[in-house]
Amino acid sequence: MADVELRNVEKIYPNGFKAVKGINLTIQEGEFMVFVGPSGCAKSTTLRMIAGLEEITHGDIMIGAKRVNDLPPKDRGIAMVFQNYALYPHMSAYENMAFGLKQQKLSTHEIASRIKEAAETLEITHLLKNKPGEMSGGQRQRIALGRAMVRKPDVFLFDEPLSNLDAKLRVSTRVSIAQLHHNLKAEGQTATMIYVTHDQVEAMTLGDRICVLDHGQIVQVDTPMNLYQYP
Ligand code: ADP
Ligand code: ADP
C-alpha cells in the first residue's frame, strides 16, 4: 500500500532531448490514475521512470515513504504489465507466474496458493499448463496480469496493455483490469494503479483520475466526469 509521488521529475535522454519537463503529481494509495495524451507526449517515459526502467534525470519519485530513484525495479514494490505481454515463451503460464516468486524465495506452497487465487480471479485456471505460443493475445495478457497480481505489489503499472488486442478482447480484458482493481480493494489489498493509454474510452472507464500529458508536461489532472463534460 503506497502513494506514488513525482516531485519535479525531468527526463533528458542521452541525445539531449528533454522528454519530461518537471512533472509534479501525487497518486493516492488505492487510486487508479490514467496517463493519456498523444503519441510522444512522454506517457511511457514517465511510467518507465516509476518502474525503474529509465533513469530519472532530475527530481524524485517516492513510492510510499521510499525515494526510489536509485532502487532497482524489483525493490520498488511494483509490478508492470506491458503492451507485448513480455512472457517467457519457453515457460508454461504457471511457470511464468511462478518465476518472480521463486526469485523472492517464497515457498512452493505459497507460490501455488497465490497462483491458484489469481487464476480463479482471472479465469485462467484451464490455461496454466499452456505456453504463450498456444494462447490468444487476450489469454496471454491475462497471464501477464496474473503474473503481476501474484507479486502482491503496492503499485501496478500498465503500459498500453490493450493495444495489441482486437476490439472484443480489448473490452473483456479491460473489464478484467477494472475487476482486479475492484477485487483487491474489496479484499483490503489496496493497490495503486498507474495506467498509460492513448485511448480516451479506456481512460474514462478505468480512471479514478486522468492525467493529461502534452510534450512532457501535465496539462490537466481531473476525474473523468470533470475532464470530459461539455460546457
Ligand atoms: P509516449 O509514451 O507518450 O508515446 P514516449 O515516452 O515514448 O511517449 O516518448 C516521449 C518523447 O521522448 C518522444 O518525443 C520520443 O521520441 C522521445 N524518446 C523516447 N525514448 C527516447 C530515447 N531513448 N532517446 C531519445 N528520445 C526518446
Ligand atoms: P512506445 O511509444 O510504445 O513507448 P516507441 O515505439 O515510442 O514505444 O519506443 C520504443 C523504444 O524506442 C523505446 O525503448 C524508446 O525508449 C525508444 N525510442 C523511442 N523514441 C526514440 C528516439 N527518438 N530515439 C531513440 N530511441 C527512441
Side-chain angles (χ1 to χ4, degrees), residues 11 13 44-56 61 63 68-74 76 78-84 86 157-159:
K11 176 68 188 182
Y13 277 110
S44 182
T45 302
T46 305
L47 194 75
R48 291 166 60 84
M49 286 193 286
I50 299 169
L53 301 174
E54 199 74 73
E55 229 173 276
I56 301 160
I61 295 182
I63 299 182
V68 298
N69 292 43
D70 303 316
L71 286 185
K74 68 174 176 55
R76 292 186 180 207
I78 56 124
M80 187 145 166
V81 178
F82 298 89
Q83 183 175 343
N84 62 3
L157 304 175
F158 298 92
D159 195 357

Side-chain angles (χ1 to χ4, degrees), residues 11-20 36-48 54 159-160 196-198 213 215-216:
K11 176 68 188 182
I12 301 170
Y13 277 110
N15 66 357
F17 180 71
K18 195 175 202 176
V20 175
V36 289
S39 183
C41 71
K43 302 181 293 296
S44 182
T45 302
T46 305
L47 194 75
R48 291 166 60 84
E54 199 74 73
D159 195 357
E160 306 238 9
V196 161
T197 182
H198 58 264
L213 294 175
H215 289 90

